Amino acid sequence: MRINYNQDSMFAWRLNTQSNSLASKLMVKLSSGLRINSAADDAAGLAISEKVRAQIRGLSQASRNIQDSISLVQTAEGGLTETHSLLQRGRELVVQAANGTYTEEDKLKIQEEIKQIQSEVDRIADSTEFNGIKLLNRKNAGEDDSLSDEENVIKTLLRSALEQSESLIEEHYGLKANGEDFEIKLEYDSEGGTLAYVSSLVPSATGGTGTNISMTIDMADFLPASWPNGGGSFIYNDRIVAHEMVHAVMAATLNWGHTSADNPAIPKWFKEGTAEFLAGGDERVQSSLTTESASDITSLMGASGTGWYSDSETDGGVISNHYSMGYTAVKYLHDVIKNAGGSGIKDVLDYLKADPATRTLDDALINISNGSYAAGLAGFAADFNSVNGQSFINSLDLNNEDVGAIGGFDADGGTVKNKENVIPDVDNLTSDPLKGFNEIWPANIELERIIGSSADRLKVQLGSNQGQSMSIDLINVDSEALKIKEIDVAKDAEQGIGLFNKAIETVSGQRSKLGALQNRLEHALRMNENYMENLTQSESRIRDVNMAKEIIQFTKQNILAQASQAMLAQANQKPQAVLQLLG
């Protein structure tokens, strides 16, 4: 005789099984403290949680990196502190020796102590180390001695000048080359002292973009290659490269043709002004205004809007004033368009690049959506040469740190772009820094050799992701670098005063940089700690168990399990009773 469970017993059995299974899972969560113990618990939540955990662990290590870097900076600054004390004592001695009351024999004795100072400066420079890394006898302040002059100039381009210039042009002007060849040439005293220039074949009497684009750099002006800005006497070399890169990208993307020599599709003042606007030209305008008035500058554009100096004009002042005109004209046009609701000079360039075969600046000024001029180029020239343009020039703040570059504080209310930070120093040396051009390097240049020569910079990984890093320049402050090695008070004590003054200024400058660097690292550390704390809270909400909620669920399942067991016991008694009756 076969006896089947009735409906009550089957229900009780299923309830008991489910309750026990859920209670088992809840017990795992409560015992581990985690809501997600396996992917089956929450597949999407697990994936998100693991990504966040990677960020948290990366930030934790980055914080330790920053702390180690702060210790390194403090070690270097400690060595410079002692060097400072030695230089102060040395200066005191040469001032003493310069007095006429001392005999030659007295001066020789003073010289003996100065020699000891020189030797101790060298010893400090050589022995100041952090984890075996020498900090004060490196030569990154000038060109790399292991590289040739040509390689040092190329290194300036590779460090950031090309890559960051291209990035700024795309960001602010919306222009990017389309894979054209771009030849880099190195010459001495090129173009009668021109620091650098871009050349291309210009379509004559037809529209179209330029071809055979190249950039020539005057080696004499680009050395010594003092990084991170590349050095330079009048203006930092990275800003010169940025200016020239604007010409290269504009030639590759805009109408570079003309109907006649005096009627280009895009006037030279606009080409040069747009290039100046990327790198900032406040210094030039400030210089122009020392001899010229604002109306003198605006009038250089001419009534037709095509004014520029002729090749017969060789006076550097006249040419520089024309550059000031181009820069302030583009800056003024940018302001007019923004005030009319547009995005600035980018609106003009967007219109021009849409059809480089036919469109001219005259067309653009008539047809742009905001800030247009019914009379085109002539209308803008009349406006710029009126009280409006002159008042604009006179209103420029030429004395603050901002150099007037697009995207900076003075132009667009952004962060201050001073002489040093117009072109960010990313130190990302690569053999192919440009994305829009196909670079053609000089045949004798070995890029891999240059790229491998960055030992005098330390990279600090500040964050948990690729590219979140900064570089620390290692410095050279031995007696030769400080130019105190040859001081001889017996021969010329007074000269020694000047040399010690310069050495003290140099060390002061280096200590200031290290202090600023330490402050920056400490800010980065606090940011990392705050970021890590917030991410940890977020990850906890995803991964960790809600103890109160799960205990309630666990208690509920226990009650259900106990109830199901009681029901099952009662259900099992029914067949037993039937069997007893049948028996």
Side-chain angles (χ1 to χ4, degrees):
M1 179 179 186
R2 188 168 64 182
I3 298 178
N4 296 319
Y5 283 109
N6 58 23
Q7 266 189 323
D8 289 344
S9 65
M10 289 300 294
F11 174 76
W13 178 79
R14 289 195 190 98
L15 182 60
N16 182 262
T17 302
Q18 291 173 357
S19 297
N20 285 332
S21 176
L22 289 172
S24 177
K25 290 182 179 180
L26 290 168
M27 180 61 76
V28 172
K29 292 180 180 181
L30 289 170
S31 61
S32 67
L34 299 175
R35 184 181 70 87
I36 304 174
N37 289 281
S38 68
D41 293 332
D42 183 350
L46 177 71
I48 296 170
S49 173
E50 289 299 334
K51 286 182 181 179
V52 176
R53 279 189 173 185
Q55 291 289 308
I56 292 169
R57 294 186 64 171
L59 286 168
S60 178
Q61 181 58 56
S63 293
R64 292 194 291 272
N65 291 350
I66 295 172
Q67 288 170 331
D68 288 342
S69 302
I70 290 173
S71 297
L72 180 145
V73 170
Q74 289 173 332
T75 301
E77 211 264 330
L80 290 178
T81 300
E82 293 306 314
T83 300
H84 239 158
S85 297
L86 289 165
L87 293 176
Q88 293 288 3
R89 173 57 181 163
R91 187 182 188 283
E92 183 181 8
L93 289 171
V94 294
V95 169
Q96 180 183 7
N99 195 24
T101 60
Y102 291 94
T103 65
E104 291 301 317
E105 185 178 351
D106 295 331
K107 292 180 180 180
L108 289 174
K109 291 178 181 177
I110 293 173
Q111 182 64 29
E112 285 300 317
E113 185 174 351
I114 289 176
K115 286 182 180 178
Q116 293 301 316
I117 289 172
Q118 293 165 342
S119 297
E120 184 59 15
V121 167
D122 288 337
R123 190 196 67 78
I124 291 173
D126 189 59
S127 62
T128 303
E129 300 178 355
F130 183 86
N131 193 31
I133 301 170
K134 293 185 181 295
L135 305 177
L136 301 180
N137 67 346
R138 310 301 280 267
K139 298 186 178 180
N140 69 297
E143 65 266 29
D144 190 330
D145 290 342
S146 67
L147 300 178
S148 67
D149 285 351
E150 291 83 0
E151 289 171 327
N152 270 300
V153 171
I154 294 294
K155 190 170 181 178
T156 294
L157 301 180
L158 293 178
R159 283 175 71 92
S160 63
L162 286 179
E163 178 184 7
Q164 294 302 304
S165 296
E166 184 185 49
S167 176
L168 289 172
I169 292 167
E170 185 174 11
E171 176 186 357
H172 295 297
Y173 293 158
L175 302 177
K176 184 178 181 180
N178 300 300
E180 292 85 355
D181 285 346
F182 182 51
E183 186 175 4
I184 310 294
K185 299 179 180 180
L186 304 179
E187 297 180 2
Y188 278 95
D189 294 323
S190 57
E191 289 288 297
T194 301
L195 305 179
Y197 64 92
V198 164
S199 62
S200 62
L201 291 179
V202 180
S204 179
T206 61
T209 57
T211 57
N212 289 36
I213 303 171
S214 66
M215 179 169 67
T216 302
I217 288 176
D218 185 353
M219 295 275 295
D221 292 308
F222 270 66
L223 291 170
S226 180
W227 297 301
N229 302 298
S233 54
F234 172 69
I235 187 173
Y236 286 126
N237 291 334
D238 56 0
R239 290 172 64 195
I240 296 171
V241 173
H243 177 109
E244 299 305 328
M245 280 299 299
V246 174
H247 291 322
V249 176
M250 288 177 73
T253 55
L254 305 182
N255 189 348
W256 231 231
H258 51 73
T259 55
S260 69
D262 297 326
N263 189 26
I266 301 176
K268 192 163 185 176
W269 69 260
F270 185 81
K271 297 176 182 177
E272 297 296 344
T274 305
E276 283 283 274
F277 195 21
L278 186 79
D282 280 5
E283 304 106 315
R284 189 188 297 278
V285 178
Q286 188 174 41
S287 175
S288 293
L289 289 175
T290 60
T291 58
E292 311 293 326
S293 67
S295 61
D296 293 331
I297 294 174
T298 59
S299 65
L300 294 174
M301 179 175 289
S304 65
T306 59
W308 192 252
Y309 65 87
S310 66
D311 291 337
S312 63
E313 292 182 271
T314 57
D315 181 357
V318 171
I319 293 174
S320 184
N321 291 339
H322 280 80
Y323 276 86
S324 293
M325 178 269 289
Y327 166 68
T328 52
V330 170
K331 199 174 175 74
Y332 175 64
L333 180 59
H334 179 75
D335 223 44
V336 168
I337 296 172
K338 284 184 65 178
N339 289 336
S343 61
I345 200 68
K346 185 175 181 292
D347 291 352
V348 175
L349 298 169
D350 282 343
Y351 181 87
L352 291 171
K353 75 178 181 181
D355 184 4
T358 62
R359 291 186 175 180
T360 67
L361 181 62
D362 188 55
D363 299 329
L365 293 173
I366 294 171
N367 293 295
I368 54 176
S369 299
N370 299 284
S372 60
Y373 289 85
L377 190 54
F380 173 72
D383 182 27
F384 178 64
N385 200 23
S386 71
V387 67
N388 295 331
Q390 294 158 22
S391 297
F392 176 78
I393 292 176
N394 288 324
S395 72
L396 296 176
D397 187 351
L398 305 176
N399 295 306
N400 63 9
E401 286 189 63
D402 193 288
V403 295
I406 190 171
F409 180 76
D410 287 347
D412 296 307
T415 58
V416 170
K417 291 194 173 185
N418 57 35
K419 298 175 184 179
E420 292 81 4
N421 71 8
V422 170
I423 311 299
D425 176 34
V426 296
D427 196 29
N428 181 27
L429 273 68
T430 171
S431 59
D432 185 24
L434 296 176
K435 307 309 177 192
F437 281 115
N438 172 41
E439 306 97 324
I440 300 175
W441 301 97
N444 63 324
I445 295 298
E446 297 180 22
L447 294 182
E448 295 306 320
R449 167 178 155 78
I450 299 172
I451 292 170
S453 67
S454 298
D456 288 332
R457 306 198 90 203
L458 290 179
K459 188 172 79 170
V460 180
Q461 186 66 27
L462 298 174
S464 60
N465 297 324
Q466 183 180 6
Q468 294 177 343
S469 62
M470 61 170 281
S471 295
I472 297 177
D473 285 323
L474 302 178
I475 56 181
N476 181 23
V477 288
D478 60 18
S479 62
E480 184 175 0
L482 293 175
K483 304 188 186 310
I484 63 169
K485 190 175 183 64
E486 304 303 324
I487 290 178
D488 188 342
V489 296
K491 294 180 180 178
D492 191 346
E494 194 166 344
Q495 182 189 35
I497 297 174
L499 293 175
F500 269 115
N501 280 341
K502 290 181 181 178
I504 290 170
E505 288 176 9
T506 298
V507 174
S508 295
Q510 296 294 354
R511 288 185 68 184
S512 296
K513 288 180 182 179
L514 290 174
L517 186 59
Q518 181 177 335
N519 289 336
R520 177 182 174 183
L521 288 169
E522 288 173 351
H523 282 295
L525 178 61
R526 286 194 290 271
M527 189 278 290
N528 264 16
E529 297 293 339
N530 183 54
Y531 186 22
M532 186 165 55
E533 181 180 348
N534 291 332
L535 279 180
T536 301
Q537 291 175 357
S538 299
E539 198 271 341
S540 177
R541 284 190 289 270
I542 297 170
R543 194 72 168 257
D544 293 343
V545 72
N546 183 327
M547 296 295 288
K549 179 181 177 181
E550 300 301 334
I551 286 174
I552 290 172
Q553 289 295 323
F554 182 69
T555 303
K556 173 185 174 182
Q557 296 306 323
N558 276 341
I559 292 170
L560 289 173
Q562 292 171 12
S564 65
Q565 288 173 359
M567 290 173 62
L568 188 59
Q570 292 292 328
N572 285 337
Q573 289 177 5
K574 291 181 181 180
Q576 293 297 327
V578 172
L579 287 173
Q580 289 176 2
L581 289 172
L582 292 175

